[in-house]
Amino acid sequence: MNEDDCLPLMLSQRECSAIDMDIRTAASKADVVVVLYRHQLSEDDFVAAFPRLAKAAQELPDESPPVV
């Protein structure tokens, strides 16, 4: 993660790292929506601050696979 990634949002490095980790461990787009809600981050702000993560999130399945 580039240290300038969060500048447009004025987030602390700790907040940026938490968002980054939560998105990287998301199993689906639905999980990403929950992360954005938890961090009070709009989709537009997410794309502006984390363009590479946003692109990776687009490649996730819509829903998490069922737990067996």
Side-chain angles (χ1 to χ4, degrees), residues 7-63:
L7 269 179
L9 301 179
M10 301 301 292
L11 297 173
S12 71
Q13 191 63 35
R14 179 177 287 173
E15 290 171 302
C16 289
S17 294
I19 294 167
D20 183 78
M21 183 184 72
D22 289 346
I23 297 294
R24 289 181 190 276
T25 58
S28 68
K29 290 178 185 173
D31 291 346
V32 171
V33 170
V34 171
V35 170
L36 296 181
Y37 179 78
R38 186 174 350 139
H39 291 281
Q40 300 176 346
L41 195 61
S42 72
E43 287 186 39
D44 291 338
D45 288 342
F46 172 60
V47 170
F50 302 93
R52 285 172 277 159
L53 278 178
K55 185 173 181 171
Q58 288 178 331
E59 297 172 2
L60 292 172
D62 289 336
E63 295 182 12

